[in-house]
Amino acid sequence: MDDILFTEEFKTNPDKYVLPSIAINNVIFGFDDNKVKVLLLRTVYADKWTLPGGFVLKEDELITAAERLLKLFTGLNSVFLKHFGVFGAVNRAEKERELFLSDQFQGDQLNYNFFLQRFVVLGYLALVQYRQVSPLTDDVRQCEWFDLESVPELTFDHNLIIETAIRELRFQLNYLPIGFNLLPEEFPLKSLQKIYETIRGKKLDRGNFNRKILSYGILEKKEKYFSGAANKAPFMYSFNKEQYFNALENGLGAF
Amino acid sequence: MDDILFTEEFKTNPDKYVLPSIAINNVIFGFDDNKVKVLLLRTVYADKWTLPGGFVLKEDELITAAERLLKLFTGLNSVFLKHFGVFGAVNRAEKERELFLSDQFQGDQLNYNFFLQRFVVLGYLALVQYRQVSPLTDDVRQCEWFDLESVPELTFDHNLIIETAIRELRFQLNYLPIGFNLLPEEFPLKSLQKIYETIRGKKLDRGNFNRKILSYGILEKKEKYFSGAANKAPFMYSFNKEQYFNALENGLGAF
DNA sequence: GTTTATTGAGTCATTGCGACTCAATATTAA
DNA sequence: TTAATATTGAGTCGCAATGACTCAATAAAC
């Protein structure tokens, strides 16, 4: 249904279906194994990785297009999803142009012409719960999670796009209850702390972190426990949705 | 030179010169008479006001296009200029479509068809020194400053664009040395305080404000004076460019 | 009982902030 | 010369938040 993009009809007549010269890329962050991850897509035309993305259908709102693509690649509907930047450098397809002209190129001519034109990319940042995601895998496409530290060289200017997204994330962390979109319904505070540490890029003190995060009043303590490890199980927490959405609207009171 | 937009050639063949379906609008803030102002443009086709804007030439970087437009409308070259959002709602031209069909409409058919298609607007926020600006006025266009409190109803979704820009500005005020782009080379601290008060939307205490703003170390005290008023003249300040650009890069140390 | 990591409950010094006060200073107008 | 006016410098006071710590109780597995 969403795969007009991969039909011959679209390839021969793209401007009939989507807004010309505009593309969307989603930077989708998840969290697992105490590490922040980003979802990447293997290209169909070479052994390279790229950001999930697509185009804006004529009848789509911009955010709807971003949601549609998120749904396509992760199966998820409603998450934190936010525009964070535009990327339209004249030479942003230079690397790809060279690749397409080389003998590594495995795609077809129609894609070639379409993808190498100049696009203005709208960057959308998504925070999703890792375990809820079923990364898309079909005949031509394959999604996988990558640790932030081991993102490979990507197509176009996608490395820049990810870096910009992380900067934005680091920044928003200070006034929005960001971490929670990345975690499952219930989680130990340590996981949340790890997210903050990863995005901030430094260690935090447990006591101080807990004191602060609990002071926002958007967390609820649960009485469940982990099991399996040779130690006392950590308490689980979930967030109070009412307080949480209020904080999303009005910030965490930093100002 | 920059007025391809107003030639017959452009009107009949726009896609030859600019990226299709993409437009730019600049929200240009200035400061004078202790009030924050925004630069608006009178439309050629009706008695309405609109944001200065234009399109991206095929060979333009996005930021170059925004700079070119800023230069066109203000005469200024280098200022604080930053992307802050995209606006591409499907129905964002609805109001204009109605206007064009009404008997108030004074433009021509070619413009009609071109402007009413669906654009994705890239919003750029500019902070400029009021007194350095020579608002563009020619046969068809007329720029004027408006107080933030008395912005009229604008074309398209431009009121929304301005509101979003102010939100962004209010937000950035907390970590970037914003005010200085709005002030002349030398200024009294009270002017800076007024800017903060306007954007924050509340009164600030002089002593506390001065204490904080001076603590950033980006201001230099000058020994000049005002004259004319029946009171002690305020000291003038200017900003230390080195410290200032450093703060623009790394924030004001809030985080 | 030993080992392990979580947890609760602190301390302590420092910093920043908002709300305030008070007197000295410079300038013009009466 | 004096009065009126607004700026300036130099504070105080209490409160809240922060970062860097410590210490002992607790739960679970082996």
Side-chain angles (χ1 to χ4, degrees), chain B residues 126-244:
Chain B
L127 305 181
V128 304
Q129 295 180 15
Y130 184 88
R131 287 168 221 183
Q132 286 188 5
V133 172
S134 347
L136 175 75
T137 295
D138 61 22
D139 288 350
V140 286
R141 293 167 299 187
Q142 176 198 359
C143 268
E144 258 178 44
W145 289 105
F146 282 73
D147 288 353
L148 274 197
E149 307 82 41
S150 44
V151 171
E153 194 195 329
L154 305 175
T155 57
F156 300 99
D157 53 358
H158 289 186
N159 290 92
L160 171 66
I161 295 180
I162 290 184
E163 281 161 32
T164 308
I166 294 172
R167 276 177 83 104
E168 179 70 15
L169 200 56
R170 180 172 300 146
F171 185 55
Q172 303 227 349
L173 200 62
N174 292 293
Y175 78 108
L176 289 183
I178 289 271
F180 307 104
N181 306 78
L182 294 164
L183 294 166
E185 179 67 24
E186 299 196 346
F187 52 88
L189 283 190
K190 188 127 217 167
S191 292
L192 190 53
Q193 186 181 338
K194 281 286 175 188
I195 292 178
Y196 275 71
E197 288 178 345
T198 304
I199 298 176
R200 284 249 178 95
K202 64 174 181 181
K203 294 276 176 205
L204 300 171
D205 175 82
R206 169 186 64 92
N208 296 335
F209 177 79
N210 290 8
R211 186 212 294 162
K212 183 165 185 186
I213 213 75
L214 290 175
S215 77
Y216 294 142
I218 58 179
L219 286 173
E220 283 171 359
K221 191 172 181 174
K222 300 288 174 172
E223 289 301 336
K224 294 185 182 170
Y225 293 89
F226 268 137
S227 65
N231 54 35
K232 181 180 179 180
F235 280 101
M236 304 297 273
Y237 287 80
S238 69
F239 58 88
N240 178 309
K241 287 190 182 168
E242 192 180 336
Q243 303 292 337
Y244 169 74

Side-chain angles (χ1 to χ4, degrees), chain A residues 121-179:
Chain A
V121 165
L122 312 181
Y124 280 81
L125 187 163
L127 304 180
V128 303
Q129 296 180 12
Y130 184 87
R131 287 169 221 182
Q132 287 188 5
V133 171
S134 346
L136 174 76
T137 294
D138 61 22
D139 287 350
V140 288
R141 292 168 299 186
Q142 177 198 357
C143 266
E144 259 179 46
W145 289 106
F146 282 73
D147 288 354
L148 274 197
E149 307 81 39
S150 43
V151 171
E153 194 194 328
L154 305 175
T155 57
F156 299 99
D157 53 358
H158 290 187
N159 290 92
L160 171 66
I161 295 180
I162 290 185
E163 280 161 34
T164 309
I166 294 172
R167 275 177 84 104
E168 180 70 15
L169 199 55
R170 180 172 300 146
F171 186 53
Q172 304 228 349
L173 200 62
N174 293 293
Y175 80 108
L176 288 183
I178 288 269

Side-chain angles (χ1 to χ4, degrees), chain A:
Chain A
M1 51 168 248
D2 265 313
D3 291 87
I4 288 177
L5 183 62
F6 280 80
T7 64
E8 281 303 314
E9 164 63 10
F10 174 80
K11 288 181 199 167
T12 50
N13 215 352
D15 287 0
K16 194 169 144 193
Y17 299 98
V18 301
L19 296 187
S21 78
I22 291 173
I24 284 186
N25 276 125
N26 287 343
V27 182
I28 304 169
F29 290 110
F31 183 74
D32 187 61
D33 189 27
N34 272 351
K35 278 175 277 193
V36 175
K37 316 229 175 197
V38 62
L39 196 65
L40 298 178
L41 182 70
R42 185 181 285 276
T43 61
V44 296
Y45 54 82
D47 186 22
K48 283 192 93 173
W49 293 87
T50 187
L51 281 173
F55 307 98
V56 182
L57 297 176
K58 297 244 179 202
E59 67 272 18
D60 272 354
E61 298 293 339
L62 297 181
I63 188 69
T64 308
E67 283 166 355
R68 181 173 50 76
L69 294 167
L70 184 69
K71 169 93 179 173
L72 173 66
F73 292 108
T74 66
L76 293 181
N77 270 312
S78 159
V79 291
F80 183 94
L81 185 62
K82 197 169 185 291
H83 170 75
F84 71 92
V86 288
F87 304 87
V90 173
N91 73 348
R92 64 181 291 280
E94 216 46 59
K95 277 195 315 192
E96 300 318 298
R97 186 164 285 117
E98 286 168 21
L99 174 64
F100 279 119
L101 293 173
S102 79
D103 49 7
Q104 280 184 51
F105 177 61
Q106 301 156 15
D108 63 45
Q109 277 312 110
L110 279 170
N111 268 326
Y112 175 97
N113 284 328
F114 182 68
F115 283 102
L116 286 191
Q117 62 170 302
R118 182 177 177 196
F119 283 103
V120 170
V121 165
L122 312 181
Y124 280 81
L125 187 163
L127 304 180
V128 303
Q129 296 180 12
Y130 184 87
R131 287 169 221 182
Q132 287 188 5
V133 171
S134 346
L136 174 76
T137 294
D138 61 22
D139 287 350
V140 288
R141 292 168 299 186
Q142 177 198 357
C143 266
E144 259 179 46
W145 289 106
F146 282 73
D147 288 354
L148 274 197
E149 307 81 39
S150 43
V151 171
E153 194 194 328
L154 305 175
T155 57
F156 299 99
D157 53 358
H158 290 187
N159 290 92
L160 171 66
I161 295 180
I162 290 185
E163 280 161 34
T164 309
I166 294 172
R167 275 177 84 104
E168 180 70 15
L169 199 55
R170 180 172 300 146
F171 186 53
Q172 304 228 349
L173 200 62
N174 293 293
Y175 80 108
L176 288 183
I178 288 269
F180 307 104
N181 306 78
L182 294 164
L183 293 165
E185 179 67 23
E186 298 195 346
F187 52 87
L189 282 190
K190 189 125 215 168
S191 292
L192 190 54
Q193 187 181 336
K194 281 284 175 188
I195 293 178
Y196 274 72
E197 288 177 346
T198 305
I199 298 176
R200 283 249 179 95
K202 64 174 179 180
K203 294 276 175 207
L204 300 172
D205 174 82
R206 169 185 63 92
N208 296 333
F209 177 79
N210 290 8
R211 186 212 295 160
K212 181 163 187 187
I213 212 77
L214 290 174
S215 77
Y216 294 142
I218 58 178
L219 286 173
E220 282 170 0
K221 191 173 184 173
K222 300 289 173 172
E223 288 301 336
K224 291 184 184 172
Y225 294 90
F226 266 138
S227 65
N231 53 36
K232 180 179 178 180
F235 280 101
M236 304 296 273
Y237 288 80
S238 69
F239 59 87
N240 179 309
K241 287 189 182 170
E242 193 181 334
Q243 304 292 337
Y244 169 73
F245 284 113
N246 179 56
L248 257 191
E249 278 297 310
N250 307 316
L252 282 172
F255 313 126

